[in-house]
């Protein structure tokens, strides 16, 4: 098939935005992806033709908005391969999804003598909520270590699953090293020991075809804005048995069946976990983004992004002053590095002045950076609309910056 | 030269440089020339809060004149500190207290002057100015 990926750039108007007089080279897709016209159009149409608060309204706009929200839920269900739409909870993003379940575990599942395991490579959003849930409930919070190559220490993780483990918080893909974890194997292992798994798929959604039934994860979370959707919308998938069993932790409108001064009876999932007006415009945008990605082909996107990250690694490895974190067997979407003589913040500023958008800092993964003895790195994360030529240009820009560092 | 004149001279000098990359390059050059603080002075007490990079500032008054030492773990910010030191170090306290500090409003240095970083840099200047206002 002809490579039409460069043509797709036309779908993303922002890619033509000049930055400091240079063409934009957007390589911060692990933080947020850019939005195609089709998504903005779908959200605009919803706003201008069908905006009304969802559920319980009897007027036409409310009914239109409600059916758009439920259609979006169905699109997400299909995208994830979930059994029923009741397993799809809309949240504001991955962080909210993790907090929702961590709070529910703290309220109903955890106590002294229990243990929650998070890997050392988790983003803070799949780490801190569990740590805090343990502090509140008296459970023990332990981290599963990462090896020098950026992969999980599987024997040590397996050992931690024994004796009192009540949940494993696991990322599919590291937002720092891009390490792809053997999630199917780990979920199987955890289940053998009776431990449920919360899978953070925020960084994985564009790189793999997701099938929650095949994965068999108990929970899965991701954010819309990392797959060409808008910010402020995310998904919490939970197996229906879990969602029925866990207590509601946020309360208000939209999630109750009956309220009296003495007590309240809550809706069934997913509404039980969606207190307040949901971001239905965002949900419409997310569904449009999924349709857009499906239109291109998820496998083709995954292949394109795999090839870009390989090219990126090859180009950066050729620069002696650049040191890439880890060398995992499989890397997806992102890689991070440090440079001799140039602080990551300086590198990011200098790159920005040349039109390159990359991320620098601790990347909300301080435990992992500390594991590597660092407090800041530079991260490059291409998406399918990037080109090998842009990565070439990045390598040349880094060489220019290194020369500058030597002069200073 | 007064502190105000020094500020004007810096604006002129940086405007004469080329694009954003050239301006950052100049800050790197300044950083290279700017003296580093000895480890012993890079203490928690001397850290200026509100900056993304680590920034240490020590301001003293000597016979009505300010003495400023500053350092950062990132070179571009160290370059900025070099500019602030150029204005304030050795200046009469009264002059710094009265200076309308608008260096960053008059420059167009891209990210250095955008919201969060600008707040950080302003808090560095506030630290210097607070010392000038003391007593």
């Amino acid at each position: 098939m002809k490579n039409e990926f460069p043509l797709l750039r036309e779908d993303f108007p922002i890619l033509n935005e000049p930055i400091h007089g240079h063409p934009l080279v957007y390589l911060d897709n692990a933080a947020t992806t850019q939005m195609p016209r089709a998504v903005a159009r779908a959200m605009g149409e919803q706003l201008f033709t069908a905006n009304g608060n969802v559920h319980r309204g009897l007027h036409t706009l409310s009914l239109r908005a409600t059916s758009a929200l439920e259609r979006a839920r169905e699109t997400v269900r299909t995208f994830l391969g979930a059994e029923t739409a009741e397993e799809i909870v809309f949240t504001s993003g991955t962080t909210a999804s993790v907090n929702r379940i961590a709070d529910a575990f703290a309220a109903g599942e955890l106590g002294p003598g229990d243990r929650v395991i998070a890997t050392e490579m988790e983003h803070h959003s799949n780490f801190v909520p569990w740590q805090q849930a343990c502090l509140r409930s008296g459970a023990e919070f332990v981290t599963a270590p990462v090896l020098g190559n950026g992969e999980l220490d599987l024997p040590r993780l397996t050992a931690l699953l024994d004796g009192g483990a009540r949940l494993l918080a696991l990322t599919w893909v590291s937002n720092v090293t891009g390490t792809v974890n053997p999630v199917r194997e780990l979920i199987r292992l955890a289940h053998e020991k009776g431990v449920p798994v919360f899978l953070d798929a925020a960084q994985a959604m564009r790189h793999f075809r997701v099938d929650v039934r095949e994965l068999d994860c108990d929970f899965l979370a991701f954010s819309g804005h990392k797959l060409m959707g808008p910010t402020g919308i995310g998904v919490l998938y939970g197996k229906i048995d879990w969602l029925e069993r866990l207590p509601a932790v946020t309360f208000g409108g939209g999630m109750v069946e009956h309220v009296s001064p003495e007590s309240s009876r809550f809706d069934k999932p997913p509404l039980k976990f969606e207190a307040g007006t949901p971001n239905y415009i965002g949900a419409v945008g997310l569904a449009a983004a999924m349709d857009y990605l499906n239109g291109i082909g998820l496998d083709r996107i995954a292949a394109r992004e795999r090839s870009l990250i390989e090219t990126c690694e090859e180009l950066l490895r050729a620069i002696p002053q650049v040191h890439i974190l880890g060398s995992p067997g499989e890397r997806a979407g992102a890689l991070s590095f440090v440079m001799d003589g140039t602080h990551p913040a300086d590198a990011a500023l200098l790159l920005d002045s040349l039109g390159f958008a990359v991320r620098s800092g601790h990347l909300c993964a301080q435990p992992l950076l500390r594991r590597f003895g660092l407090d800041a790195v530079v991260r490059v994360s291409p998406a399918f609309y990037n080109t090998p030529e842009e990565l070439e240009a990045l390598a040349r820009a880094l060489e220019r910056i290194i020369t500058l560092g030597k002069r200073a | 030269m007064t502190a105000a004149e020094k500020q004007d001279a810096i604006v002129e000098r940086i405007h004469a440089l080329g694009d954003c990359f050239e301006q950052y390059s100049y800050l790197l050059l300044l950083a290279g020339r700017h003296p580093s603080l000895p480890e012993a002075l890079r203490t928690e007490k001397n850290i200026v809060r509100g900056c993304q990079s680590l920034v240490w500032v020590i301001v003293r008054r000597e016979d009505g004149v300010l003495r400023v030492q500053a350092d950062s773990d990132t070179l571009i910010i160290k370059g900025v500190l070099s500019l602030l030191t150029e204005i304030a170090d050795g200046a009469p306290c009264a002059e710094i207290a009265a200076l309308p500090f608008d260096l960053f409003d008059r420059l167009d240095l891209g990210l250095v002057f955008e919201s969060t970083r600008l707040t950080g840099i302003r808090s560095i200047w506030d630290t210097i100015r607070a010392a000038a206002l003391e007593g």
Side-chain angles (χ1 to χ4, degrees), chain A residues 270-289:
Chain A
L271 299 186
K272 169 181 166 184
F273 293 102
E274 290 182 358
T277 298
N279 181 2
Y280 52 92
I281 303 287
V284 165
L286 173 59

Side-chain angles (χ1 to χ4, degrees), chain A residues 16-348:
Chain A
N16 296 317
E17 184 70 17
I19 302 293
H20 302 302
H22 298 272
L24 166 66
V25 178
Y26 186 77
L27 293 168
D28 194 18
N29 293 284
T32 198
T33 51
Q34 300 301 343
M35 187 187 283
R37 291 176 203 275
V39 173
R41 204 181 301 127
M43 290 166 69
E45 266 176 37
Q46 184 69 31
L47 267 173
F48 298 145
T49 64
N51 185 40
N53 205 338
V54 293
H55 301 307
R56 294 185 181 84
L58 290 181
H59 64 79
T60 303
L61 293 184
S62 173
L63 294 173
R64 281 183 191 168
T66 304
S67 49
L69 174 68
E70 295 312 319
R71 271 201 310 276
R73 203 187 300 277
E74 180 56 25
T75 302
V76 175
R77 184 199 70 76
T78 314
F79 200 89
L80 296 182
E83 200 159 334
T84 72
E86 283 73 47
E87 294 177 316
I88 308 298
V89 178
F90 283 119
T91 65
S92 63
T94 307
T95 301
S97 300
V98 181
N99 274 284
R100 200 71 42 91
I101 295 302
D103 286 348
F105 262 68
E109 299 289 325
L110 297 175
D114 292 333
R115 179 194 302 154
V116 171
I117 307 156
T119 83
E120 208 176 20
M121 70 166 80
E122 297 310 305
H123 186 283
H124 292 166
S125 65
N126 198 29
F127 192 96
V128 184
W130 297 111
Q131 176 196 59
Q132 296 301 311
C134 288
L135 286 173
R136 282 204 303 278
S137 61
E140 182 195 13
F141 179 71
V142 292
T143 54
V146 168
L147 301 167
N149 67 358
E151 293 182 354
L152 287 171
D153 185 335
L154 295 180
R156 293 201 36 205
L157 173 51
T158 311
L160 288 173
L161 290 168
D162 281 317
R166 295 295 305 276
L167 185 122
L168 170 63
L170 172 69
T171 189
W172 194 338
V173 174
S174 159
N175 73 311
V176 177
T177 57
T179 301
V180 178
N181 286 321
V183 290
R184 284 171 189 79
E185 185 190 338
L186 285 170
I187 292 166
R188 188 181 50 75
L189 271 172
H191 285 175
E192 276 174 16
K193 318 264 186 188
V195 180
V197 178
F198 192 108
L199 190 62
D200 173 359
Q203 294 298 335
M205 293 303 291
R206 287 193 335 270
H207 312 305
F208 306 104
R209 186 181 283 280
V210 179
D211 183 333
V212 287
R213 272 182 286 182
E214 185 248 318
L215 282 167
D216 200 25
C217 53
D218 302 271
F219 305 95
L220 176 141
F222 66 93
S223 300
H225 68 98
K226 294 195 203 292
L227 63 155
M228 282 68 201
T231 52
I233 185 76
V235 168
L236 164 65
Y237 157 83
K239 282 182 179 170
I240 191 67
D241 293 350
W242 273 112
L243 295 186
E244 281 170 354
R245 165 174 160 179
L246 291 173
V249 284
T250 53
F251 307 94
M255 52 85 70
V256 281
E257 271 179 9
H258 173 81
V259 178
S260 71
E262 293 73 34
S263 66
S264 300
R265 197 167 59 239
F266 304 123
D267 263 326
K268 293 186 174 56
L271 299 186
K272 169 181 166 184
F273 293 102
E274 290 182 358
T277 298
N279 181 2
Y280 52 92
I281 303 287
V284 165
L286 173 59
M290 288 177 160
D291 289 342
Y292 178 83
L293 296 178
N294 277 326
I296 301 169
L298 297 175
D299 295 333
R300 296 184 56 228
I301 288 172
R304 167 79 173 179
E305 297 196 344
R306 200 173 312 128
S307 141
L308 286 171
I309 200 72
E310 279 166 14
T311 304
C312 184
E313 181 160 359
E314 216 168 277
L315 285 163
L316 297 191
R317 282 216 188 276
I319 306 174
Q321 294 84 352
V322 169
H323 308 286
I324 299 174
L325 266 70
S327 51
E330 194 181 357
R331 206 193 284 275
L335 62 79
S336 297
F337 60 88
V338 288
M339 291 158 79
D340 293 335
T342 310
H343 190 283
D346 287 329

Side-chain angles (χ1 to χ4, degrees), chain A residues 343 346 349-350 353 400 404 408, chain B residues 21 24 28 32 74-76 111:
Chain A
H343 190 283
D346 287 329
L349 272 179
L350 287 160
S353 75
R400 199 173 157 194
L404 203 66
Chain B
F21 186 78
Y24 284 150
L28 287 186
T74 69
L75 288 176
I76 290 175
L111 265 189

Side-chain angles (χ1 to χ4, degrees), chain A residues 377-398:
Chain A
V377 292
V378 181
R379 179 182 69 191
V380 180
S381 54
F384 59 82
Y385 44 53
N386 291 118
T387 64
E389 292 73 24
E390 286 181 314
L391 297 170
E392 275 280 353
L394 172 76
R396 299 296 80 79
L398 285 173

